[in-house]
Amino acid sequence: LPPTGGFGMNTGIQDVHNLAWKLAYVINGHASNAMLETYESERFPVAYTNIMWSNKNAQRFTTIYTALAENDLDTFRKALKDQTNHINNINLDIGFIYGQDYADNEFTEQK
């Protein structure tokens, strides 16, 4: 991930956590191998969103620097105001949710 978002390490740690608990369930016989097939469908949208947001943040910086270099103060002011979005996105700062609850599904054993 581009560094302009601060999501790289967090995304990686979340990826590992997601895969680790699934592997533990499968290895310990609490879920079938099909559980592992959910990894990409869950994690890809989160990683993609983080990449897109980081790219948008990079573009914000580029716009600011370009406007300064060209002495375009109107664009600079607008871009600087937009920069608040870089650090103030509650949906990314608070976290994410997956589309399905895995407590009761076809992957886990029913007790």
Side-chain angles (χ1 to χ4, degrees):
L1 277 89
T4 49
F7 297 113
M9 183 176 67
N10 291 336
T11 303
I13 291 170
Q14 292 163 3
D15 287 344
V16 169
H17 177 266
N18 184 282
L19 189 56
W21 76 262
K22 289 177 180 182
L23 283 169
Y25 262 59
V26 171
I27 290 168
N28 291 311
H30 300 296
S32 71
N33 287 343
M35 171 73 81
L36 301 176
E37 295 175 14
T38 65
Y39 171 78
E40 184 177 357
S41 64
E42 288 179 356
R43 293 304 304 158
F44 180 81
V46 174
Y48 183 80
T49 298
N50 292 347
I51 291 167
M52 293 295 100
W53 189 254
S54 293
N55 285 339
K56 178 68 175 165
N57 287 339
Q59 183 58 48
R60 288 182 176 105
F61 283 124
T62 300
T63 301
I64 289 170
Y65 297 142
T66 301
L68 281 174
E70 296 173 357
N71 202 26
D72 181 352
L73 296 181
D74 187 47
T75 300
F76 173 76
R77 285 185 192 103
K78 289 176 186 175
L80 197 58
K81 185 176 180 181
D82 184 45
Q83 185 65 5
T84 61
N85 290 311
H86 178 131
I87 58 172
N88 191 23
N89 186 323
I90 195 162
N91 292 328
L92 289 176
D93 291 340
I94 298 297
F96 55 88
I97 54 175
Y98 296 124
Q100 182 176 357
D101 180 1
Y102 288 99
D104 281 314
N105 66 26
E106 71 271 17
F107 303 118
T108 56
E109 287 184 345
Q110 298 298 315
K111 303 272 180 186

